[in-house]
Amino acid sequence: MTHHPAFRGSDQELLPAGHRVGEWTVTEPIGEGGWATVYAARRAGGTTAAAGPDDTGGAADTVALKVLPTAGLAPRQARQVAEAARRETELARTAPHPRLVRLLDSLTLSAPDHPALDGAVVLVMERARGTLRDLLATGVDEDRGGRIIAGICEGLAHLHRSGWVHTDLKPENVLIGPDGEVRLSDFGLAVELTGTHGHCAPMGTPDYLPPERWKEPLGEHGIKIRSTADIWALGIVIHEVFAAGVPPFPGATPTARGAAAQQYAEGRADLRLAAAVPPFWRALAADCLAPTHAARAPHTAESLLARIRAHQAGHRPRRRRPRPRTALVALAACASAAVTAALWPDPGPAAHPSRVRVFNAERSCQDRADRDPRCSLGLAVDPLRPYTADNVVPTRVWHGDLLDADCQLPAGLPVIDEEDRTSTLWYRVHLPGPTTAWLPAVRTKDRPTLLRCP
Amino acid sequence: MSGILVHLPEGNGDEAVTLRLGPGERARFGRGSAGTPVELRLGDETVSRLAGEIHATDDHWQLSNLSSTHAYLVENPEGAGEYLRVPPRRIGAPIPFEFSRVVLPSRRETPLCFQVFAPDHVYLDPHARGAGSWESRTMTAYSLDETATYFLVLVALCEPWLRDRSPAAVPTTPQVVARLRGHPACARLTPRAVSSHLDYLADEKLRIDLPDDAARADRRNGKREAVVGLALKFGIVREEHLALLPRPDAVEPGR
């Protein structure tokens, strides 16, 4: 293969930390894609008056800068980059939604000392905590996975309703926002439909392309694309979420898996989804992975979302807290007890009650003192029963509250927090009045030495 | 992943046959008989009734040699003599070439052979980068082998646009032959070969959608223009690829 070093070398150049882009200062590169490099950045000049009580905490002071260089590119490629940037801004402008990554600004980079980057398009976006791909590497339980898929469906339903197709849905492009919720991102290939379909450039990620795509002819405007392409990709993502990142089609390479998908679509092989995928999600993935556009068409993002909502309502009674976000997640499996022991080594018994400070992992709740109900945390009546609405005491607690703990239960119901730490340790705490309740250990950073509860 | 194309030229004891095999599909070849049906009939008495099998898999194909005495050769016609030898009774030998000529021993003067095309081979985009796994990168869905003759033909066709971007006529087949003559791989390139490369690009690699109503001659011109237009539009051929062509001054005067 012939390489042209002159055309590759310039790609490697990065903005140094401290470089000023508009009102932002680059901190470090956090990712690279086909056309762009993404940097973390913070508001230049340090603290501003912006962090008021209604602000989302410190989140607004750190952003992600997506830098799309155009210098050194052939005119046609530069046009493609500009076109990708235009689509991203257009979509953000016309169809904003809580499940789509928020575009804060777009500007042109001035970097005379870095000719390869001078004139690059910069998209300023809200900073995410990470991608779904990162999360898959650490493992996602059924409840969390379900919320993520529901979030993706909300985003897709909104996109499709607004007449857009994402065309490049994959775990890399599903970001997890500072609040732990899904943000779909990377709309550089998104297509606005005219009628039932649109046309897109012949680009994609092989593992997520629907089987009909391999046969779709290339016309003057590109390849015909319909919203069912996103639904197929969603089916692949559902499988990956519940099968520890393993794609549904067998094969060692994306091309081998593409061939296997083709074999399935042509009826020469059955769909064999991993047994690890829970039945409800397996059925959902199978519908998303219906072999043809026509068979997939009835399964719109909207209808899939309705099924997920019904499933979630049937499984879990509504929490008392109004936020859609589940702060504490009861794990169905009990296998994590051993892990817990390693995470929270038993400090040995002590006799005296001890104070613990409540910790809310939600950063936007840490700085506020207004006791907003959305930032409140619950305490359990019984740490051995599932953490559902009827197992929560009426008293709420907030970040920073001090509680008196008098004993601990090392093997209560496993709980995972927003950082995906699992713990089965609970503290019995005293509430005003002669009552007690149970605080999961993930809700405090304190590790008091307490006797085991009777 | 559209599978592979098997082409048996006329004159191997039978008329020309073209088979398209999707991933996972198989085709048997051999002399055949009422009891041993074959999809690819080679009417030569030196060939066994069931001589072998082709199996399309992943982005390539496998060759099973069902003969107990003869080895088969798989040549890469673009590989400067590159070939594989598949020994007798070898099952499922993976074939890495995009273009292959399978040669079976024969007592005739011309060897018995058929061609297999594997257009699904995937190449990373030249500008692809990123710290993540290459497997989950967004890439051009049509990847072309930039070292293949078909790519040289495509660059030669696109050259007038890439040089001055004026709406010039797409070079004709004889012009492409003349333009590439100075290239070591194209010294013996024939107009007919250029036409086949163009068909392969349009039909198998880019899968270009052409209106059906055009007359045959218009179709060929239309195909040529469509290939050039789309290759430029979607950045499949770019300015940097001009370096692959022989230096323009090596072209005969009067082109």
Side-chain angles (χ1 to χ4, degrees):
Chain A
M1 178 123 187
T2 318
H3 288 302
H4 303 278
F7 286 88
R8 298 177 65 82
S10 60
D11 286 346
Q12 307 302 327
E13 189 166 353
L14 291 174
L15 283 176
H19 190 93
R20 182 83 179 255
V21 181
E23 53 188 301
W24 308 99
T25 307
V26 169
T27 36
E28 58 176 342
I30 50 177
E32 270 191 302
W35 298 108
T37 305
V38 182
Y39 299 86
R42 56 185 158 72
R43 194 179 288 281
T47 53
T48 58
D54 290 333
D55 202 52
T56 48
D61 276 339
T62 57
V63 293
L65 301 179
K66 184 172 183 176
V67 178
L68 300 110
T70 50
L73 291 180
R76 280 183 192 83
Q77 282 175 285
R79 271 207 294 281
Q80 276 186 322
V81 170
E83 175 61 18
R86 190 197 63 75
R87 265 195 296 268
E88 293 222 23
T89 45
E90 170 82 5
L91 182 71
R93 194 176 56 75
T94 59
H97 188 269
R99 296 284 80 80
L100 309 188
V101 75
R102 210 146 54 92
L103 185 72
L104 306 171
D105 196 7
S106 72
L107 41 97
T108 305
L109 184 67
S110 166
D113 297 343
H114 306 277
L117 295 168
D118 198 24
V121 180
V122 182
L123 302 176
V124 183
M125 298 178 298
E126 64 174 324
R127 173 81 199 269
R129 201 193 273 172
T131 70
L132 176 56
R133 176 70 72 201
D134 304 333
L135 208 58
L136 290 182
T138 61
V140 178
D141 67 271
E142 183 176 349
D143 207 29
R144 180 97 199 259
R147 278 184 292 137
I148 286 169
I149 298 303
I152 298 173
C153 270
E154 284 172 21
L156 283 185
H158 166 74
L159 275 179
H160 294 174
R161 227 177 6 245
S162 313
W164 288 81
V165 181
H166 187 289
T167 82
D168 202 14
L169 180 70
K170 55 181 171 180
E172 283 76 6
N173 290 342
V174 176
L175 304 182
I176 307 299
D179 55 359
E181 292 288 343
V182 162
R183 302 278 193 287
L184 300 186
S185 80
D186 214 332
F187 304 103
L189 296 181
V191 169
E192 199 164 6
L193 302 187
T194 44
T196 58
H197 62 270
H199 287 93
C200 71
M203 305 275 294
T205 308
D207 265 323
Y208 301 88
L209 294 178
E212 66 270 15
R213 179 68 184 271
W214 300 103
K215 298 206 162 139
E216 205 71 70
L218 178 60
E220 198 187 336
H221 304 291
I223 291 187
K224 197 194 233 184
I225 192 118
R226 294 164 293 212
S227 53
T228 53
D230 283 348
I231 300 300
W232 173 275
L234 175 67
I236 306 279
V237 173
I238 293 175
H239 192 274
E240 288 181 308
V241 163
F242 293 105
V246 175
F249 293 99
T253 60
T255 42
R257 293 189 285 268
Q262 197 69 44
Q263 221 167 318
Y264 152 70
E266 287 170 6
R268 288 193 300 278
D270 293 330
L271 187 64
R272 292 189 195 91
L273 303 179
V277 182
F280 169 79
W281 298 104
R282 198 172 332 150
L284 207 69
D287 286 340
C288 294
L289 297 175
T292 60
H293 157 73
R296 227 173 295 133
H299 305 293
T300 61
E302 201 94 50
S303 76
L304 295 166
L305 186 60
R307 282 164 68 184
I308 295 172
R309 293 261 181 270
H311 169 74
Q312 289 177 333
H315 265 63
R316 259 164 272 124
R318 236 174 63 83
R319 304 270 162 82
R320 203 164 289 188
R321 269 174 299 147
R323 327 188 270 165
R325 171 88 184 280
T326 30
L328 288 178
V329 179
L331 264 183
C334 300
S336 50
V339 180
T340 312
L343 272 174
W344 313 124
D346 187 6
H352 305 291
S354 192
R355 288 231 146 153
V356 292
R357 189 180 291 275
V358 175
F359 175 77
N360 188 342
E362 189 128 353
R363 271 192 287 161
S364 58
C365 287
Q366 292 172 6
D367 296 333
R368 48 201 296 173
D370 58 358
R371 290 185 161 303
D372 185 291
R374 284 174 301 169
C375 282
S376 71
L377 299 169
L379 300 168
V381 175
D382 181 353
L384 295 170
R385 282 201 295 127
Y387 191 77
T388 52
D390 55 355
N391 188 24
V392 178
V393 299
T395 309
R396 312 292 299 176
V397 294
W398 280 264
H399 183 80
D401 285 359
L402 286 169
L403 301 173
D404 279 318
D406 66 349
C407 67
Q408 61 182 357
L409 178 73
L413 199 82
V415 160
I416 62 169
D417 70 352
E418 285 83 347
E419 311 290 337
D420 280 332
R421 278 188 292 259
T422 305
S423 170
T424 56
L425 180 65
W426 294 72
Y427 298 120
R428 190 168 73 186
V429 296
H430 290 270
L431 295 177
T435 52
T436 58
W438 294 83
L439 176 77
V442 297
R443 286 284 170 242
T444 175
K445 293 288 185 197
D446 299 323
R447 289 293 168 263
T449 325
L450 293 170
L451 283 174
R452 192 180 279 251
C453 296
Chain B
M1 300 294 104
S2 51
I4 61 167
L5 211 62
V6 184
H7 179 70
L8 176 68
E10 213 177 344
N12 283 293
D14 230 316
E15 58 201 45
V17 181
T18 301
L19 296 176
R20 188 179 288 280
L21 302 183
E25 285 189 307
R26 297 163 190 274
R28 293 161 293 185
F29 61 89
R31 186 151 45 89
S33 72
T36 46
V38 291
E39 286 75 29
L40 210 62
R41 220 174 75 77
L42 305 167
D44 188 291
E45 61 198 20
T46 49
V47 176
S48 316
R49 286 200 174 85
L50 183 58
E53 191 176 74
I54 290 163
H55 179 205
T57 178
D58 292 7
D59 59 354
H60 59 275
W61 60 283
Q62 298 176 337
L63 178 62
S64 294
N65 183 348
L66 301 179
S67 156
S68 52
T69 47
H70 298 304
Y72 301 153
L73 292 187
V74 183
E75 299 174 350
N76 175 3
E78 296 202 352
E82 188 177 34
Y83 71 94
L84 288 175
R85 185 176 162 278
V86 180
R89 303 193 306 279
R90 168 75 155 105
I91 296 301
I95 308 298
F97 310 133
E98 179 166 355
F99 304 107
S100 307
R101 185 160 53 217
V102 181
V103 184
L104 280 69
S106 150
R107 282 197 210 95
R108 298 186 306 171
E109 276 176 28
T110 50
L112 203 56
C113 69
F114 59 87
Q115 294 162 304
V116 183
F117 302 86
D120 286 342
H121 285 197
V122 169
Y123 296 83
L124 280 185
D125 288 344
H127 293 279
R129 64 208 171 111
S133 155
W134 61 270
E135 295 203 340
S136 48
R137 265 187 218 156
T138 305
M139 50 170 98
T140 309
Y142 308 110
S143 39
L144 303 187
D145 178 0
E146 295 184 8
T147 66
T149 308
Y150 65 69
F151 195 74
L152 285 172
V153 169
L154 183 58
V155 177
L157 285 170
C158 296
E159 187 183 17
W161 268 269
L162 293 172
R163 291 236 184 261
D164 54 32
R165 295 181 203 114
S166 62
V170 179
T172 63
T173 298
Q175 282 171 333
V176 170
V177 172
R179 181 66 184 90
L180 293 176
R181 189 162 296 145
H183 193 285
C186 302
R188 287 189 295 162
L189 189 71
T190 61
R192 202 175 148 193
V194 169
S195 293
S196 331
H197 284 303
L198 191 66
D199 287 344
Y200 181 71
L201 279 167
D203 302 339
E204 305 302 327
K205 296 298 274 189
L206 305 179
R207 294 191 296 278
I208 283 175
D209 197 14
L210 283 172
D212 288 329
D213 47 0
R216 198 181 157 81
D218 290 346
R219 255 183 100 69
R220 177 150 297 285
N221 279 332
K223 191 182 265 190
R224 187 190 305 274
E225 275 162 24
V227 165
V228 169
L230 292 168
L232 292 172
K233 175 169 177 164
F234 294 114
I236 295 166
V237 176
R238 298 174 298 274
E239 280 81 348
E240 74 212 59
H241 293 125
L242 289 173
L244 297 172
L245 296 178
R247 293 167 64 87
D249 59 8
V251 178
E252 293 164 49
R255 179 175 69 98

